[in-house]
Structures are given as C-alpha cells and as structure tokens.
C-alpha cells in the first residue's frame, strides 16, 4: 500500500469517517512508529483476541433457549387466560336453580303448624279464603 493512500485513510480515520475494512487495512499496514494513530494500531494489533471456536454456536444456543422459554411462558399465560375465561362463562351461564314448589296440602300443613305456635288461636280455620298466594306468603281472609 502506498504512503499517500495510508495518509488519506489516517485522515479519514481521525475524522471518524472510516469503515471497518479501512481500519483493518490501517491496522495491518501501520509502519510509521512516530504517529499516534500508528502506535494505537500497533497496540490494538497486539491486544486483539480471536473468539474461541464454537463461540457463535454457544451464543445462538443461548438465544434459542431464551426464545423457547418465552414461548413456553406465552403458552402458559394464554392457557391460564383461556381457563379463566371458561370459568367465567361457566359461572355466569349456568342455569338458574328451580324454586321449590309445594303442593296445596303441604302449604296447609305449614299454616296449621304456624297457627299452632300462637297461644291464643283466634283465627277460625273453617271459613278462610285465599286473598293472595305467592311462593313465600299466603294471605287468608276469614268471613264471620
């Protein structure tokens, strides 16, 4: 390489506009011991370390392992979200319980039991008429 080309590359390097290939050329072809850039290039050349064999493979294995963990985590989270959604739907879409319906005879027996609880039984049970009947309450009227 000519000294003029090296000088141009040095100026380009000092300005911060050189490419990696140009810097490699400067490091390999640095011969001027007096310039600071040449001393720096010689230092870099002496300290440069090559990565061990299989280093890229180790890095890619680690990256793939992390990606696999991310995918597993995503599957777990999405599975939990689906399970929660299904539980929510099952809870709110379940059929309403049917209320207990009692026959007229059972209702009369309950009324007699309730009337037996009072000490003074003043209500006559012979002339009673149902005014209102609901699931919970029955209202009777007596005619005297």
């Amino acid at each position: 390489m000519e000294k003029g080309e090296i000088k141009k590359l040095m100026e380009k390097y000092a300005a911060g506009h050189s490419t990696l290939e140009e810097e490699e050329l400067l490091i390999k072809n640095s011969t001027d011991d007096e310039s600071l850039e040449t001393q720096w290039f010689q230092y870099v050349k002496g300290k440069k370390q090559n990565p061990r064999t299989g280093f890229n493979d180790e890095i890619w294995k680690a990256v793939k392992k992390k990606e696999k963990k991310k995918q597993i985590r995503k599957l777990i989270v999405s599975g939990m979200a689906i399970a929660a959604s299904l539980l929510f739907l099952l809870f709110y879409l379940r059929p309403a319980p049917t209320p207990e319906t009692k026959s007229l005879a059972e209702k009369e027996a309950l009324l007699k039991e309730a009337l037996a609880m009072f000490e003074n039984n003043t209500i006559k049970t012979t002339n009673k008429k149902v005014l209102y009947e609901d699931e919970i309450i029955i209202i009777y009227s007596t005619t005297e």
Side-chain angles (χ1 to χ4, degrees):
M1 211 173 176
E2 293 181 14
K3 286 192 177 198
E5 289 180 41
I6 292 176
K7 189 174 182 182
K8 284 181 186 177
L9 286 178
M10 287 284 219
E11 289 173 1
K12 203 173 179 184
Y13 176 77
H17 300 295
S18 62
T19 63
L20 289 175
E21 291 83 19
E22 292 170 343
E23 289 177 19
E24 284 290 324
L25 281 173
L26 285 173
I27 292 171
K28 287 179 184 176
N29 298 323
S30 59
T31 56
D32 185 17
D33 291 336
E34 295 180 11
S35 72
L36 292 175
E37 288 86 4
T38 304
Q39 292 174 7
W40 171 251
F41 292 147
Q42 288 175 352
Y43 174 78
V44 169
K45 189 190 297 184
K47 293 294 182 176
K48 184 177 179 183
Q49 294 179 352
N50 291 326
R52 63 183 182 272
T53 57
F55 185 66
N56 284 339
D57 295 334
E58 291 177 23
I59 291 174
W60 279 112
K61 283 180 187 177
V63 168
K64 287 179 183 179
K65 189 175 181 181
K66 271 204 168 195
E67 286 177 0
K68 191 173 183 179
K69 282 184 181 181
K70 272 187 180 179
Q71 288 175 348
I72 290 172
R73 192 174 301 129
K74 279 184 181 180
L75 284 174
I76 290 172
V77 169
S78 61
M80 291 175 70
I82 289 170
S85 299
L86 288 175
L87 283 174
F88 181 76
L89 287 174
L90 287 174
F91 181 74
Y92 281 105
L93 296 179
R94 64 180 154 73
T98 57
E100 290 184 31
T101 54
K102 297 183 188 243
S103 67
L104 187 58
E106 290 174 332
K107 291 178 184 179
E108 285 179 0
L110 286 174
L111 175 65
K112 286 180 184 177
E113 185 181 334
L115 289 175
M117 291 182 190
F118 294 104
E119 290 178 16
N120 188 4
N121 192 356
T122 58
I123 301 174
K124 295 179 183 177
T125 58
T126 55
N127 295 332
K128 59 184 174 183
K129 183 179 173 184
V130 176
L131 289 177
Y132 176 78
E133 183 175 352
D134 194 358
E135 301 281 326
I136 300 172
I137 190 169
I138 302 173
I139 299 175
Y140 294 97
S141 74
T142 58
T143 56
E144 292 185 39

